[in-house]
Amino acid sequence: MSKREYESNASLATDLAGRSLEYAGDQPEMAEGLAAAAQVHATLALAAATMAAAERDGR
């Protein structure tokens, strides 16, 4: 995974989490789905960062 993949997934996670908050009051099911998608993208961003660090360290 590349820096671009990290940045893309981190940005999507942030955006989806924010949208989830917008729906939390009146559409909790939509908020839940958006929060789940945000969690997936946050996990992908973490994986990309971990792989980049491992590559940098020569592992």
Side-chain angles (χ1 to χ4, degrees):
M1 291 188 167
S2 67
K3 180 179 177 182
R4 185 179 67 79
E5 288 173 304
Y6 164 78
E7 290 172 346
S8 175
N9 281 300
S11 177
L12 281 168
T14 301
D15 183 51
L16 289 165
R19 290 176 187 240
S20 176
L21 287 174
E22 293 172 9
Y23 285 96
D26 60 343
Q27 296 183 39
E29 296 86 8
M30 176 67 84
E32 186 177 313
L34 290 167
Q39 185 176 10
V40 168
H41 285 286
T43 300
L44 290 171
L46 177 60
T50 301
M51 290 178 73
E55 289 173 3
R56 184 193 68 225
D57 294 342
R59 295 182 187 164

